[in-house]
Amino acid sequence: MEDFKGGYAQLFTQACAIRADDRARLAGVLAMLAEDVRQAKLKAREEKSRLKKLTAWRQRADVREQELASLDPARQSAALLSTVNDPKPEETRVAPPTISAEFSTRDRPRFAGGSGGGTSSSDPGKLRGFVSQSRAAANILDAELGRIRNAWSGFTSACSWVNVEAESFVTGFEQLLAENVADAAWLEQIATAFETAGGGSLADGVLNSALILYAPPGQVGLSDVGALNAAQLKAWLAVPANKDRLQGLLEQPGLDPVVIAKWWAGLGHTIVDGVIEPGAAQLLLIEALPGVIGNLNGITTTARNEANVLRLATEQERITAELARTPPFLPTSQGLSVTNPAWTRLQTQQKALDGIGDALARAGVSGAAVLLGFDLTHGSPKAQVSAGNPDTAQNVTYAVSGMDITPQSGFNDWAKNAANLQLRQSQNEPGKSFAVVAWINYEPPTVPTVNSGDAARAGAGRFVTDLQGFNAVREGLGNRTPETLNVLAHSYGTTVTSDALAAAALNVASFTMLGSAGIEKEIRSAGELHIPVGRVYITEAAGDGLAKMGRFQRQDPRGEYFGAKVFSSEAATIDGIEYHGTTEHNTLVHGPGKGGYGYLDQDTTALYEAALTTTGKGDRILPGTRPQSSLPLELQAVEQLRESEPYAP
């Protein structure tokens, strides 16, 4: 201990104290056991003596009875007198003694853990000296253990008369020896770490990485895992409890994406020609916990995509297997049958997987499509697909859908919208890279609930977290600028995103709304959305008859007082090229046999203008028409009633 200092020296001191205490307790147990065995021997001798005396007396008594039967009455009196002089020995048996010998070792902490900046120092030679002496002593102790094990086995097999109530001292003795041997191996690894470093002082974090296999799972934190190299991480993850511990750490609520981004980057990835390749340690985690890594904010999109591609296959296998053993219908007590809810849920998940696959195909028509995440088991299915890579694109737009768009219904069209916008952006600025994320990572409302703000508030929380994760990754990669991130939303998606943008400063460069289902009245102006002045945009086509139905209790952001810039989505000629006007509320309409146009159909004015607003070119938009009133419909009705009725005091 002369030259052993710091956190690991304290652990060694604790281990020695526990070792000494364990030795003393075991010695006490063995001493008591020896006395118990000695007393058992005395009791056994006493019982043997009693049995011997009783047997001899019974033999004499038998002789006397025979003699009495053959003697004449005069001589029987003398024989009876001899019986009185030979009393019967004790008949009550000596109670068998009960032996109890329990012993177990205490845990010895061998892992400092944590992210503190402590250091440890030592003389490796002295540590190895202790190791040598400890192992020599362990050999002697092992021989003694063998003697005791054999003696106890011989005793219990030869003396079944004694009651053995509780016996764990042999196992405890073995544990003590194993702990002492582990101490020696542990110190040897510490000595090796110091020798490898070539110095007498090391950060505790470095020692943590070398000694994490000695850590109880509950003691390990993310910083400890982050300090491991691939070989150390592979060995650690091989223990199921360790894998479960890491999953728990990564799924705990309230994780800071900035912390996760730093932790993930510390595991090591390479960037070659703008392409991010996960390192060996990251690949181990992707393989071990794809469901966690694939949805974790702060992880690079590239890594999440690899994890989610793995999950697509495993989830397909899971659902196929579960459907095979799940009946579609269940019998009732009335003899009828009803649809099995479990079967319905699996069918929904199956359709969601199909929709995600289709969305990936449609998002990747002009380049790589990326699966940022999907969730089939917590509430209704959710997903995020990107046209282009949000890790590296110079310009990224998060596009948020509205009512009834889910992975199992409409996601493929929303992914096509993302691809259309990305293509239009690229056409406007050739040579620049773009990514558009088709975001449906919330539970959208249906027709009966579209006028409620509940789904928007819940979705806003998820949207804030996802954008914080995006920002954390880009900041960590060093390619985040004030112009990087933009938001576009359609219909009820504008309600979701406005709630999110009002709730947190997310460093969003622009916000574009298409056919808005309304902004909550609590958001009084565009200035409350944490968007640069003049960068909030809105359009609504004359042929869109549905948007206003969503604004029954919400305000129209086209109102002049709100402060958004209104752009056109009607037919127009721009730079000599004719663009189609939007003819209805939907975003994707035009196709074989369909003559109308949605907001994000190719070659529409709305798409062209949205490509401008989401890339910092909003000063070039074609102005649109503001409504006569931007009040919610319920308030418009009140105003109209007031105007039609004569004033009454």
Side-chain angles (χ1 to χ4, degrees):
M1 290 302 298
E2 290 179 6
D3 303 288
F4 201 5
K5 311 294 181 186
Y8 276 86
Q10 293 174 11
L11 290 177
F12 176 61
T13 301
Q14 292 177 44
C16 287
I18 293 172
R19 175 199 293 237
D21 180 66
D22 282 350
R23 278 205 315 269
R25 288 191 301 111
L26 178 57
V29 170
L30 292 175
M32 291 178 64
L33 176 61
E35 177 61 21
D36 287 345
V37 170
R38 189 181 71 83
Q39 292 295 327
K41 288 171 67 177
L42 293 175
K43 291 288 185 182
R45 289 172 186 166
E46 183 181 339
E47 176 66 359
K48 284 182 178 180
S49 175
R50 184 191 70 82
L51 290 172
K52 183 178 180 181
K53 291 177 182 178
L54 185 60
T55 300
W57 180 88
R58 284 173 175 164
Q59 290 174 349
R60 293 194 302 273
D62 289 343
V63 171
R64 283 193 294 268
E65 286 183 6
Q66 292 173 4
E67 290 177 346
L68 282 171
S70 63
L71 293 176
D72 57 63
R75 298 179 62 186
Q76 286 181 351
S77 297
L80 289 172
L81 182 61
S82 66
T83 301
V84 173
N85 292 330
D86 185 15
K88 186 177 183 180
E90 179 62 50
E91 285 190 287
T92 304
R93 72 187 184 102
V94 176
T98 297
I99 291 179
S100 178
E102 294 185 277
F103 170 75
S104 62
T105 60
R106 291 164 54 198
D107 291 334
R108 301 180 193 178
R110 299 188 181 97
F111 181 74
S115 56
T119 59
S120 295
S121 59
S122 79
D123 180 341
K126 290 184 177 179
L127 295 184
R128 290 193 182 279
F130 176 90
V131 169
S132 177
Q133 294 181 36
S134 180
R135 284 178 172 159
N139 290 335
I140 297 171
L141 194 62
D142 190 41
E144 297 295 336
L145 170 60
R147 289 179 58 203
I148 289 180
R149 186 190 292 114
N150 292 337
W152 178 250
S153 177
F155 172 73
T156 54
S157 62
C159 190
S160 59
W161 176 69
V162 174
N163 295 319
V164 178
E165 184 178 62
E167 174 271 310
S168 60
F169 75 96
V170 172
T171 301
F173 201 145
E174 293 168 347
Q175 291 172 347
L176 176 64
L177 185 59
E179 286 293 316
N180 291 351
V181 170
D183 269 351
W186 173 59
L187 281 176
E188 191 169 50
Q189 285 187 269
I190 294 175
T192 299
F194 280 110
E195 290 165 347
T196 302
S201 180
L202 276 177
D204 286 345
V206 175
L207 288 171
N208 288 346
S209 298
L211 303 169
I212 196 169
L213 292 178
Y214 291 102
Q219 191 180 352
V220 175
L222 284 178
S223 59
D224 299 316
V225 178
L228 301 178
N229 60 36
Q232 293 167 335
L233 181 60
K234 184 176 182 180
W236 187 75
L237 285 173
V239 179
N242 292 339
K243 182 177 173 181
D244 293 342
R245 166 63 175 174
L246 180 56
Q247 180 167 347
L249 287 171
L250 295 176
E251 289 183 336
Q252 59 185 314
L255 275 181
D256 185 351
V258 174
V259 172
I260 294 298
K262 185 177 180 180
W263 172 78
W264 184 255
L267 290 169
H269 52 231
T270 58
I271 305 176
V272 180
D273 297 330
V275 178
I276 302 171
E277 294 292 341
Q282 292 177 336
L283 288 172
L284 284 171
L285 293 182
I286 289 171
E287 182 178 354
L289 299 170
V292 177
I293 301 301
N295 287 296
L296 186 57
N297 281 304
I299 304 291
T300 58
T301 298
T302 309
R304 289 172 66 170
N305 181 64
E306 289 200 25
N308 287 319
V309 169
L310 284 176
R311 287 182 62 224
L312 280 177
T314 57
E315 285 291 87
Q316 183 65 65
E317 292 174 0
R318 174 187 68 83
I319 292 170
T320 300
E322 289 190 23
L323 277 172
R325 57 177 180 265
T326 304
F329 300 100
L330 296 174
T332 66
S333 58
Q334 290 79 24
L336 304 174
S337 62
V338 295
T339 302
N340 185 349
W343 183 84
T344 301
R345 182 178 65 255
L346 289 168
Q347 286 288 321
T348 299
Q349 293 176 358
Q350 180 67 71
K351 291 177 182 178
L353 279 184
D354 294 342
I356 291 169
D358 196 6
L360 281 169
R362 302 191 79 176
V365 292
S366 59
V370 176
L371 182 54
L372 277 76
F374 69 95
D375 182 2
L376 303 182
T377 56
H378 297 89
S380 66
K382 308 171 189 67
Q384 306 175 61
V385 165
S386 177
N389 192 332
D391 282 346
T392 54
Q394 293 166 284
N395 179 282
V396 179
T397 301
Y398 269 72
V400 180
S401 61
M403 180 181 72
D404 282 339
I405 304 297
T406 64
Q408 60 272 24
S409 176
F411 189 28
N412 52 355
D413 282 351
W414 193 246
K416 175 62 174 174
N417 289 330
N420 285 350
L421 181 58
Q422 185 210 30
L423 177 61
R424 184 69 259 176
Q425 290 170 333
S426 300
Q427 290 171 340
N428 287 355
E429 296 185 69
K432 190 173 180 178
S433 58
F434 298 89
V436 180
V437 179
W439 192 90
I440 58 169
N441 194 27
Y442 80 110
E443 298 187 24
T446 57
V447 172
T449 61
V450 72
N451 282 301
S452 168
D454 292 344
R457 284 185 287 272
R462 300 178 70 91
F463 191 62
V464 167
T465 302
D466 285 350
L467 291 197
Q468 288 173 336
F470 169 85
N471 287 333
V473 170
R474 293 294 295 245
E475 292 288 352
L477 295 172
N479 59 0
R480 179 74 165 87
T481 73
E483 299 296 321
T484 298
L485 178 61
N486 301 270
V487 173
L488 175 142
H490 170 249
S491 190
Y492 193 85
T494 67
T495 312
V496 176
T497 48
S498 59
D499 281 358
L501 295 172
L506 299 168
N507 200 11
V508 174
S510 71
F511 177 37
T512 302
M513 295 175 276
L514 311 174
S516 175
I519 306 297
E520 300 294 354
K521 290 171 284 188
E522 291 78 10
I523 303 173
R524 293 167 295 182
S525 71
E528 296 183 9
L529 299 177
H530 300 99
I531 303 294
V533 176
R535 296 286 191 90
V536 177
Y537 306 95
I538 174 73
T539 190
E540 185 174 312
D544 183 347
L546 292 180
K548 62 182 179 181
M549 301 307 296
R551 298 194 295 263
F552 184 73
Q553 299 183 65
R554 291 184 284 264
Q555 59 185 318
D556 186 343
R558 292 179 299 163
E560 188 168 355
Y561 74 93
F562 189 76
K565 291 184 176 180
V566 180
F567 63 92
S568 175
S569 50
E570 309 305 328
T573 301
I574 305 172
D575 296 331
I577 301 175
E578 293 185 359
Y579 291 90
H580 302 288
T582 298
T583 58
E584 58 180 87
H585 181 65
N586 292 328
T587 54
L588 196 64
V589 176
H590 195 71
K594 298 179 180 179
Y597 290 89
Y599 284 101
L600 296 176
D601 268 316
Q602 292 182 1
D603 302 323
T604 59
T605 301
L607 177 66
Y608 185 92
E609 301 292 285
L612 295 177
T613 61
T614 54
T615 57
K617 306 288 190 300
D619 56 333
R620 293 165 45 185
I621 59 172
L622 295 175
T625 303
R626 293 189 184 277
Q628 292 182 348
S629 174
S630 60
L631 293 172
L633 291 181
E634 58 179 356
L635 296 184
Q636 288 185 41
V638 172
E639 289 298 313
Q640 293 171 0
L641 183 61
R642 283 180 177 174
E643 292 174 1
S644 63
E645 293 290 333
Y647 174 74

